[in-house]
Structure formats: structure tokens, C-alpha cells
Amino acid sequence: MFPFRIPIRDWISSAVDFLVSEFGAVFDGFSAFVYFLVDNLKDGMMALHPVILIVLIAALTWYMAGWKNSIFAVIGLLITENIGLWQAFVETLSLVLTAEILVMIVGLPIGIYAAKSDRFNSIIRPILDFMQTMPAFVYLIPAVMFFGLGLVPGVVATFVFALPPLIRLTNLGIRQVPKELIEAADAFGATEMQKLMKVQIPVAKVTIMAGVNQSIMLGLSMVVIAAMIGAGGLGEDVLRGIQRLQVGQGFEAGLVVVILAIILDRITAGFGQRKSPAGR
Amino acid sequence: MEEKEEKIVVKNLYKIFGKNPEKAIKALNEGKTKEQILSEQKQVVGVQDASFTVYKKEIFVLMGLSGSGKSTLQRLINRLHEPTSGEIIIDGKDITKLNKKELREFRRNHFCGMVFQNFAILPHRTVLGNVEFGLELQGVEKEKRREKAMKVIQQVGLKGNEDSYPDQLSGGMQQRVGLARGLTVDADIMIMDEAFSALDPLIRTQMQDELLELQNKLQKTILFVTHDLDEAFRLGDRIAIMKDGRIIQIGTAEEIVSKPANDYVKAFVENMDRASVLTAGSIMQPVKENAFPGDGPRTILRKIRKNGLTGILLIDTKRQLKGYIRATELAEYINKNKEKEKIPFDDSLIRDITSVNKDMPLNEVFNIYDEHKYGPIAVEDENNRVVGVIVKGSIIAALSESAEGINNNQ
Ligand SMILES: Nc1ncnc2c1ncn2[C@@H]1O[C@H](COP(=O)(O)OP(=O)(O)OP(=O)(O)O)[C@@H](O)[C@H]1O
Ligand SMILES: [Mg+2]
């Protein structure tokens, strides 16, 4: 139809080439940082006897979400151990947690700033929409381009995919803080920082934690996809099950993903609703 | 009259919400109304040309219908809204000139935060956590601020609730938290925006009483916004009535009821029961002429006749009431005792009459008048100096005007 072809692929490739060659050190540094996080988390958890880790997770679940959920966690984790997926479980948990840590480091400030600046908000909103409508697979491409194959691009792809809900809900939560609460703080002579730390974030906490919860759930949904670029963990077992038509094996790994998802969901959902005992 | 000290002086204050405030002010000066400016320029006149003084330790009430600019004016005074033009002088300092940091400091030292209709207390903090909030912002150490907060918690009647969360408290209790939060900081201007409007009537009256009681002890300067005239009259030492962003009358409750500045204010106050608002002082007449203890009988009679009176008050040079002399009795006395140059200081000629304080509500004066046999009622100030008289006619006139007001309203 057209005598020429719009060279999108060339543009993107040369842009990536440019970035990698100019900012290689930045990517390497970032890569090392991410690897450091994931690896230490994983090693730390693997160093513990499974029973100890199970007890720790069960205790946290109990504290955040009550004894029923805690019992569920214990049973689910014992099954995981029993069917030999413990190491994969720990790998996936480390990957998801690392991605979530990055999401919080990046997402909270962006969300807060978006709540304070209408201009900034109107700039990032279409970007967030774009990120969320994009098929998850697409995130693999830049991740691989910048970080090659393995764990780090897996974390990066998960991070990018899980980022939007936290920004959105942080923004929303802070914007929803009643105007009078802000006026009251102002009238007492609060600084911007005091307002943020003592009023806006605590009042928006439930909404922000809903954002954390959503982004963890999205992160878990990336587990299998991330395994396609060598991120390992439970996703790899699912993939192997698909590729070799070993339905049972694939199902087992999928089941553990679900168990992990439920535990993380209950813990983070509970966190948003708690009042801190100190009353601050 | 005790000396009043200026606390807040506002001069020609304007607040325009819109992109081109100068244009709106220009139009206002040309006589355009708030409505015209809204439709022609799409700009909202929040406050126009407000000038007034709030004195130390008084409760100054801003009163007006919804949208009349009460909240806006109030928020200009602690600069939650930036004034478009005008001056706001608090304790001698023009706060419109303060930069951000100075303003923050000024607010900490001069304002007891703010009390809101919907309480606006922090849901994630306990009562204690809320009450110590102001001091916490100022970096006061924990021990000290807790101690101070507990003291105020006691004062406002929240003792025993310090560890409760706001959602465990009733509306009245939550507003006590709001009040306590303000009283905990070392400042003396309290800003209250419809603070009691969300409470049900019984609690509301109770909170008004408590506020008055606290104010008696604490002597803050209170800027209170309400759209309820009863509340305004109950609480306000003085009241400013606002309409379309403009202050149309400032005065005490009596001044506003007895001398409404225009028909708008008149319509506003018609609802009020005048008898409970007017005082003896507001309906009394000046003493045109009185007899002095040194006056001879004939001089006194001449004074009575000259003013067309039926009797005259006997008042000494220190303005203390000594009694009342009736014209008929005096004429009789002169006829019988032609040679006497002095009047006798006993009850043959000098009668007792009732005297009341000028702040006595009119309905009480009316009750006294019922038992009163003859002559006027003398009105005295706090030092028992006679400042005026009330005759039966003026009470009835004042009360019947009030009845008219009520009838017109039905
Ligand atoms: N932030 C704002 N932006 C634009 N217009 C505003 C703003 N705040 C107030 N106004 C307008 O200013 C005018 C005065 O409002 P204000 O809130 O001061 O009235 P009010 O007397 O307190 O009324 P109410 O009893 O409803 O609280 C209204 O016309 C209102 O619409
Ligand atoms: Mg208001």
C-alpha cells in the first residue's frame, strides 16, 4: 500500500543502542543493585530451615490477617515443601519482593508528587494508561535489551508491570485526604514534610496499601512470563510443564503460585486496615 | 468602659477567585455586583472591601448565608487563602507581608489552629495523639506535650477518653477533641468555622455554653463563623453580618436588633425574639433633666414643668440615684410650706423607684415593670451611676415591634 515502510524498529533499536552505549554504567550499576537484593533475599531465606521460614510467615500472617489465614499459610507452605517446590517458591518470593521494593522506592514518590502537582499528574496519567494496556509480554523486550537474560530482567519486567497501580493509588489516596485536615495542619504551622508524614500518608495509608496489594498481585501474574527470559522460580516449572506437556507438574507449580498469591494478598490487605497501637 | 486592645485589624481586604483579580476589583469599584462579575468575568468575589477590628479576648462572629464569604474571610486571616489586596494586621504585624517561613512561625505562635464543622481530627490518631498534634509540629518534647495535652483534655471534659480513636466518639466528643487540639498550643487566636453546626441542637447548645465557660477562663480571641443568628447572638460579643462577600453591619446583638443597618439585616433579625436580645440599655431614654439634692422645691418644680414630666429623678453629683419626686406631691408640699427653701429628705416626698442594670434583658425588665407602681425605671451602669430611664411606653413599643416582626414572618 505504501511505497515505504515507517522504520519504527530501526528507531527503537538505535535508541536502545544509544542508551546502552551512553549509559552502560548506569544499567550495570542498577543491574548489580537488583541482583544484590534478589540474591540476598533468596540466600537469606534459603539459609533458614523451611520450618522456621514457615513459622515466620505464619506468624506474620496471624498478626496481619488473623489465625484462619495463618493456618491456611501453614498448610499451603507445607504442601509446597512436600511436593519439592520449596526452592522455586523461595526464588519467586524473592523476585516478587525485590520487584515490590523497587516499585515502592519509585512509585511512592511519583504518586505523592502526582498528588501535589496537577501538571505532573496530567503528564503521567497517559503514560500509566499506556503501561497498563500494554500486553505484559511487551515488557520483556526492553528488559532483555537492557539487561540481557536472567533474574535481573525478570525483576525489571515485573517491576515495570507492577508499578502503575501503586502510583495511581498513592496519588488517589493523598488527593482524597479531606481538605480540612490539610487546612488544620497548615493552620498549626506544619511544614510540607510534616503534613506529608503526619497527615497525608497516614490518612491515605489504606489506599496506598491497596496499591501495594494490587501491584504485588500484578507482579505475581508476571511470574510465568518472567520465566520465559530466564528468571527462574515457580514460573520455570510452569513453563516446563507446558513445554513438555507434563500437565501434573505444571499444575503443581501453578498451585504454589496461587498459595503464594493468597498469603501475600491477605498480609498486605490486613496491613492497610490496622491502626498502629501507638496512635500515630 | 474598659480599655479595648486591638488584636486583629483588617483594612480593605479583598479576595477574588479567578485569573484576573485586578479586573474584578476594578469592576467592583465601578459598582458592579458579585453576580455581574461572575457572569461577565467568570471570577468569584470571595470577600470585598472588608475592614474591621477584632479586640483582644472577644468572640467576634462572622454571620451570613451560605456563600456570603464567611469562611473565605476567616481563612484570609490566617492566610490559608492569599489575600488579593488589603492589610491584615495582627498584634501590630501586617501578616500579608510575611514569607512562607515567617508565616509558618507566625501561625504557630498566634493561631490555635482551626476548628471545623466536620471536626477534621486525624482518624489514625487517638484523642491524645490528636490533642498534642500542634505541639508535636512545633517539636515540643513528648513528656511536655503529653502533660499539656492531658491538662486540656481534662478541661474540655474528655478525661478517660484519651486513648480512644475518633470513630469511637460521638460528634460532640469529637468536636471537643478539635477544640482541645487548638487550646493545647500556646497561642491566642482561635478560628472556628461552623464548629457546632453539625451537632444536634441539644448538644449544640451545650457546646456553646461550654465554649463560653472556657472562654471566661482562657480569654482567647475567637473568630467564630456561623450561619445561625441565634448562635451568633449567644456567643458573639460583636457580630459582623456578611452578604455577597461584603460586611454590611458590625455590632453587638442589641445594636443589630435595635438598629439594623438596612432591610437585609432587618429581615435577618426578624426571626429573633427581640425581648430576649434587647436589654434595658438599648431601649432606655437619656435623663433630660434631674433634680439635685441641693435644689430648692421651686427649682425642682420648674424643672418638672419645663420638661412636661409627671415627676423627676433625684440624682446626686456622683450620678447616684437618691429617689423620685412626683410633681403633684411636690406642688402640694410647696403650697403648705411656702417658706421652706429645702426639701425634706424623708419618704414624705422622696419615693423609691426601681433601678436596673443596663444589661438586663428586656423581658426581665418587663416583669419588673409589672410590679412597678409609678414613675420610670432608672437604668444604671456597673458603677450604679444613672445612665437613663425607661418609661412604660418604650417597653411596650419595643415588645410590640417584636411581635410585628414575628407576625410578618408567619
Ligand atoms: N477555592 C475557591 N475557589 C473559587 N471560589 C471559591 C473558593 N472558595 C470559596 N469560593 C467562593 O467564594 C464565595 C464565598 O464562599 P465561602 O465558602 O467563604 O462562603 P461561606 O459564607 O463560608 O458559606 P458556607 O456557609 O456555605 O460555608 C462563594 O461564592 C464560593 O463559591
Ligand atoms: Mg463556610
Side-chain angles (χ1 to χ4, degrees):
Chain A
M1 199 157 87
F2 293 103
F4 62 92
R5 184 179 183 288
I6 305 172
I8 296 177
R9 57 169 73 157
D10 298 338
W11 291 341
I12 296 295
S13 298
S14 46
V16 170
D17 284 348
F18 171 78
L19 286 174
V20 171
S21 64
E22 289 300 311
F23 299 103
V26 177
F27 290 115
D28 286 348
F30 180 73
S31 185
F33 173 66
V34 172
Y35 193 77
F36 173 83
L37 277 179
V38 188
D39 215 40
N40 277 305
L41 260 174
K42 190 183 77 188
D43 289 350
M45 287 194 277
M46 284 309 286
L48 297 174
H49 190 275
V51 173
I52 295 177
L53 189 57
I54 290 174
V55 169
L56 287 179
I57 294 175
L60 183 65
T61 313
W62 191 324
Y63 183 66
M64 289 300 180
W67 62 272
K68 284 184 191 158
N69 288 310
S70 174
I71 288 176
F72 170 85
V74 172
I75 295 172
L77 294 174
L78 286 174
I79 293 172
T80 304
E81 157 68 18
N82 179 264
I83 57 182
L85 286 174
W86 187 253
Q87 169 145 14
F89 167 82
V90 169
E91 280 173 16
T92 294
L93 181 57
S94 331
L95 182 144
V96 170
L97 288 184
T98 306
E100 189 55 30
I101 289 169
L102 293 180
V103 164
M104 292 211 269
I105 291 175
V106 175
L108 283 176
I110 293 182
I112 290 167
Y113 189 59
K116 302 224 156 182
S117 160
D118 286 337
R119 233 179 93 85
F120 182 66
N121 187 36
S122 64
I123 294 170
I124 62 161
R125 203 198 319 245
I127 300 175
L128 294 179
D129 289 342
F130 181 75
M131 284 169 78
Q132 279 192 309
T133 45
M134 197 93 116
F137 281 92
V138 179
Y139 292 120
L140 298 180
I141 299 165
V144 170
M145 282 191 296
F146 292 121
F147 301 102
L149 293 176
L151 200 51
V152 173
V155 171
V156 170
T158 307
F159 155 76
V160 175
F161 190 62
L163 185 61
L166 184 66
I167 295 179
R168 269 182 207 284
L169 284 165
T170 302
N171 175 19
L172 179 73
I174 288 183
R175 279 174 187 268
Q176 278 176 341
V177 173
K179 179 174 129 274
E180 284 85 0
L181 285 180
I182 305 296
E183 287 189 324
D186 275 331
F188 275 111
T191 62
E192 289 300 312
M193 203 48 161
Q194 287 177 324
K195 254 189 308 192
L196 190 63
M197 302 309 289
K198 292 178 192 288
V199 180
Q200 292 171 305
I201 291 181
V203 174
K205 195 177 81 176
V206 174
T207 313
I208 294 175
M209 283 313 293
V212 170
N213 177 284
Q214 275 192 21
S215 68
I216 288 183
M217 294 303 112
L218 277 184
L220 273 171
S221 73
M222 275 296 276
V223 163
V224 177
I225 296 169
M228 294 170 71
I229 52 172
L234 294 166
E236 201 177 308
D237 292 276
V238 176
L239 272 185
R240 204 178 303 126
I242 296 168
Q243 283 157 355
R244 300 187 189 162
L245 286 178
Q246 291 167 336
V247 182
Q249 205 191 70
F251 179 81
E252 277 178 356
L255 179 70
V256 176
V257 173
V258 172
I259 289 170
L260 178 59
I262 291 176
I263 295 173
L264 289 178
D265 177 60
R266 294 301 133 86
I267 290 176
T268 50
F271 191 72
Q273 269 126 43
R274 286 188 70 82
K275 274 175 182 148
S276 66
R280 48 197 51 254
Chain B
M1 188 124 207
E2 87 187 84
E3 204 44 48
K4 287 191 208 164
E5 241 180 291
E6 287 174 349
K7 184 78 186 170
I8 304 170
V9 180
V10 173
K11 289 183 192 158
N12 307 105
L13 193 61
Y14 284 85
K15 175 66 186 178
I16 310 293
F17 296 101
K19 295 220 159 61
N20 190 352
E22 286 79 23
K23 193 173 152 204
I25 290 183
K26 191 156 164 275
L28 282 172
N29 290 338
E30 285 161 4
K32 293 257 168 82
T33 64
K34 172 175 168 161
E35 266 161 44
Q36 285 171 321
I37 290 167
L38 181 61
S39 64
E40 286 166 20
Q41 309 185 354
K42 303 279 167 285
Q43 304 203 83
V44 179
V45 178
V47 168
Q48 49 171 319
D49 202 15
S51 297
F52 60 93
T53 302
V54 180
Y55 298 105
K56 236 172 219 168
K57 300 172 185 177
E58 82 172 334
I59 301 184
F60 189 85
V61 174
L62 295 172
M63 231 275 313
L65 298 177
S66 184
S68 58
K70 312 178 292 287
S71 301
T72 306
L73 180 51
Q74 209 179 31
R75 282 165 173 74
L76 284 167
I77 286 172
N78 61 5
R79 259 181 73 186
L80 284 182
H81 284 322
E82 283 301 325
T84 303
S85 75
E87 285 174 35
I88 303 162
I89 296 150
I90 298 177
D91 289 333
K93 195 164 196 127
D94 186 352
I95 67 152
T96 59
K97 306 223 156 55
L98 301 179
N99 67 27
K100 245 186 166 164
K101 191 158 166 282
E102 292 165 336
L103 176 62
R104 200 157 59 222
E105 206 51 39
F106 194 89
R107 281 172 176 163
R108 288 182 177 187
N109 297 328
H110 291 78
F111 289 102
C112 303
M114 227 175 140
V115 183
F116 298 87
Q117 178 170 7
N118 58 9
F119 320 132
I121 50 182
L122 296 166
H124 62 284
R125 287 183 176 225
T126 59
V127 168
L128 181 60
N130 268 290
V131 173
E132 67 179 351
F133 181 67
L135 292 179
E136 186 183 323
L137 293 179
Q138 297 178 13
V140 174
E141 61 193 68
K142 200 162 175 167
E143 285 290 299
K144 242 191 201 154
R145 63 180 200 240
R146 295 249 140 140
E147 193 187 311
K148 188 86 195 289
M150 287 306 290
K151 213 175 105 194
V152 179
I153 283 174
Q154 163 110 40
Q155 265 177 338
V156 301
L158 278 170
K159 189 122 211 277
N161 292 293
E162 53 271 13
D163 294 325
S164 309
Y165 282 92
D167 58 9
Q168 300 167 313
L169 300 176
S170 68
M173 294 298 253
Q174 290 191 47
Q175 195 55 297
R176 286 193 178 92
V177 177
L179 207 57
R181 177 175 66 181
L183 294 175
T184 306
V185 297
D186 276 322
D188 49 10
I189 303 175
M190 189 100 186
I191 294 194
M192 307 179 74
D193 190 356
E194 307 264 9
F196 303 143
S197 302
L199 306 174
D200 56 52
L202 227 64
I203 309 286
R204 186 171 180 172
T205 334
Q206 193 185 333
M207 292 292 289
Q208 289 167 355
D209 288 342
E210 282 175 28
L211 179 67
L212 287 173
E213 210 171 294
L214 278 171
Q215 169 65 358
N216 241 336
K217 267 188 252 151
L218 303 175
Q219 304 270 296
K220 305 274 178 189
T221 303
I222 301 178
L223 207 61
F224 194 102
V225 157
T226 181
H227 59 256
D228 175 16
L229 195 69
D230 280 305
E231 185 167 72
F233 283 2
R234 265 196 89 175
L235 296 179
D237 292 315
R238 286 186 311 138
I239 297 137
I241 297 188
M242 294 188 71
K243 179 176 186 277
D244 296 339
R246 193 186 281 283
I247 294 180
I248 49 181
Q249 184 169 9
I250 300 180
T252 61
E254 299 152 34
E255 283 164 2
I256 286 170
V257 173
S258 56
K259 298 185 208 91
N262 58 22
D263 288 347
Y264 182 80
V265 179
K266 206 167 178 178
F268 227 114
V269 298
E270 260 167 8
N271 286 331
M272 288 297 296
D273 180 6
R274 290 171 66 98
S276 66
V277 174
L278 291 177
T279 60
S282 62
I283 64 154
M284 71 185 184
Q285 298 165 354
V287 182
K288 275 186 228 150
E289 194 147 21
N290 64 277
F292 290 100
D295 288 346
R298 270 167 282 270
T299 316
I300 297 175
L301 193 60
R302 209 177 315 119
K303 281 183 179 173
I304 296 176
R305 296 256 157 87
K306 192 176 87 197
N307 291 298
L309 301 170
T310 54
I312 193 163
L313 293 179
L314 183 63
I315 300 173
D316 70 13
T317 47
K318 291 188 182 120
R319 304 294 301 163
Q320 304 291 310
L321 181 66
K322 292 296 169 201
Y324 178 71
I325 301 168
R326 294 207 256 184
T328 47
E329 287 175 352
L330 181 62
E332 214 170 290
Y333 174 83
I334 292 173
N335 269 337
K336 282 186 196 149
N337 310 285
K338 287 212 162 53
E339 70 291 357
K340 292 262 170 66
E341 286 306 314
K342 287 249 150 66
I343 51 167
F345 285 94
D346 58 30
D347 56 8
S348 65
L349 197 54
I350 297 174
R351 306 280 175 174
D352 279 343
I353 56 161
T354 314
S355 62
V356 298
N357 187 278
K358 68 177 170 38
D359 291 332
M360 181 182 278
L362 191 53
N363 43 6
E364 282 176 41
V365 177
F366 191 73
N367 288 340
I368 290 174
Y369 219 118
D370 255 2
E371 293 153 21
H372 192 71
K373 311 281 175 323
Y374 49 83
I377 290 180
V379 181
E380 299 178 336
D381 65 10
E382 10 340 278
N383 301 321
N384 294 326
R385 287 187 313 213
V386 177
V387 289
V389 290
I390 296 174
V391 295
K392 200 157 210 159
S394 49
I395 300 189
I396 295 183
L399 287 177
S400 68
E401 256 180 67
S402 101
E404 229 170 76
I406 290 160
N407 287 341
N408 285 347
N409 232 298
Q410 280 165 352

